[in-house]
Amino acid sequence: MQTLKHIAAGIALATAFASASAAIIQTGTGSGGFDGYEAWGLFDLSTVTLAANTNTVSSLTTTARAWDQGWGGQDAGGNRVLITLWQGDNLLWNDWVAGGDHSTQYLTQTYSIADHAASLAVLNSTLASITWDASPVSLRLQANPIGWGGWELHVRDAGMSVTSDAVKVPEPASLALLGLGLAGLAAGRRKAKQA
């Protein structure tokens, strides 16, 4: 009987803490398109709201077709599409993923954070420093046009996919199971001392 109690307690502990995190794969939602002429700012193309307590991103890929058909200057590094991390209205991190210039109409550009180890490290460090509260935390694909005269940014078919790991908070049933297991261990010890 004593062995049975120890086995039950072991199962309870294993069940409660078998998996500290789980991979979550999400695809961004949003229009995926933008048309801006002489506009400044950040404009949402696609958004993924992260689960509470997300601690790492292991994969992040984007695709976008961008073009600047304006008559003004051109700079694909500045007239661009960014991947950004937000908590509420606070911009926490960003990286360049695509740019629009005059050379190719709607050039398809892909981005994988696996090819940008330094950016991935900064993103995950930023996630680890977040204090999770009521403010939503999201990764956004955003158009970031230059608003000078004659400059345009047009984006089509912009989207992203994110694989992240969220720390699981034990649910009440798991905590109850853990409590029963610990109580069983304590009762077994008391009985062993009395014998």
Side-chain angles (χ1 to χ4, degrees):
M1 187 68 170
Q2 187 73 10
T3 304
L4 187 57
K5 286 181 182 177
H6 287 162
I7 291 171
I11 290 172
L13 288 170
T15 302
F17 296 102
S19 177
S21 65
I24 301 168
I25 301 171
Q26 295 174 279
T27 302
T29 59
S31 69
F34 170 78
D35 293 294
Y37 178 69
E38 298 180 5
W40 294 100
L42 288 166
F43 303 89
D44 289 349
L45 300 165
S46 185
T47 301
V48 166
T49 300
L50 298 175
N53 302 308
T54 296
N55 54 1
T56 59
V57 166
S58 54
S59 172
L60 190 163
T61 57
T62 69
T63 185
R65 297 188 307 123
W67 182 35
D68 175 0
Q69 72 177 88
W71 53 264
Q74 63 176 335
D75 175 4
N79 206 21
R80 60 198 177 174
V81 177
L82 299 174
I83 187 76
T84 58
L85 177 68
W86 293 81
Q87 183 171 27
D89 295 328
N90 297 317
L91 176 61
L92 306 176
W93 169 89
N94 71 80
D95 200 11
W96 183 99
V97 298
D101 62 25
H102 298 166
S103 62
T104 306
Q105 184 174 350
Y106 293 116
L107 174 67
T108 299
Q109 299 165 68
T110 58
Y111 169 93
S112 172
I113 203 162
D115 299 330
H116 303 271
S119 290
L120 179 59
V122 173
L123 171 59
N124 284 332
S125 174
T126 304
L127 278 171
S129 71
I130 288 175
T131 300
W132 292 86
D133 57 20
S135 302
V137 176
S138 59
L139 281 163
R140 302 179 193 173
L141 194 57
Q142 296 185 298
N144 183 216
I146 291 174
W148 294 322
W151 289 62
E152 299 184 29
L153 180 60
H154 303 277
V155 182
R156 299 287 181 269
D157 305 323
M160 67 175 158
S161 177
V162 179
T163 303
S164 59
D165 295 318
V167 175
K168 285 187 176 177
V169 176
E171 57 190 47
S174 295
L175 290 174
L177 195 57
L178 175 62
L180 285 173
L182 292 173
L185 282 173
R189 280 199 172 166
R190 252 186 264 129
K191 207 168 214 179
K193 283 183 179 180
Q194 290 173 356

